[in-house]
Amino acid sequence: MADVELKKAAANAAIDDMGQANAAMTAALQDMLDRIRPLQQSFSGDSAQAWAEFQGTVNAAINKMNTTFTQGTQALTSMVDLQIQADLAGGRQLSAQ
């Protein structure tokens, strides 16, 4: 059976990178909305409706992205924690022999 090694620092760095990437993408999308928002005052009729639909789509995408990234980081964190617990339990069993 092949040896499996958990590189905890690398795994935690990857988890942090995912969180930072999510924050950066959310900030970029919010910045885009903020830059367009002053133009919103001039929208009327079909333009106003199109803007409202676009903003709703962007807001839904931001929420979905945040939810998905949060679930991903939680899953990775759990995997790392479970691996550490399994390693410690295995070590205790070996040392008890």
Side-chain angles (χ1 to χ4, degrees), residues 48-68:
Q49 179 62 31
W51 169 256
E53 290 174 12
F54 171 75
Q55 188 164 7
T57 300
V58 171
N59 288 341
I62 290 170
N63 290 336
K64 184 173 182 175
M65 181 178 65
N66 285 331
T67 299
T68 301

Side-chain angles (χ1 to χ4, degrees), residues 3 5-6 16 27 31 43 54 62-63 72 79 82 87-88 96:
D3 290 336
E5 179 183 358
L6 172 66
D16 290 343
D31 181 59
F43 296 161
F54 171 75
I62 290 170
N63 290 336
M79 288 170 54
L82 289 171
D87 287 348
L88 291 173

Side-chain angles (χ1 to χ4, degrees), residues 8-23 69 73 76-77:
K8 185 177 184 243
N12 286 333
I15 292 166
D16 290 343
D17 288 348
M18 283 181 62
Q20 291 173 11
N22 182 54
F69 268 88
T73 57
L76 288 173
T77 299

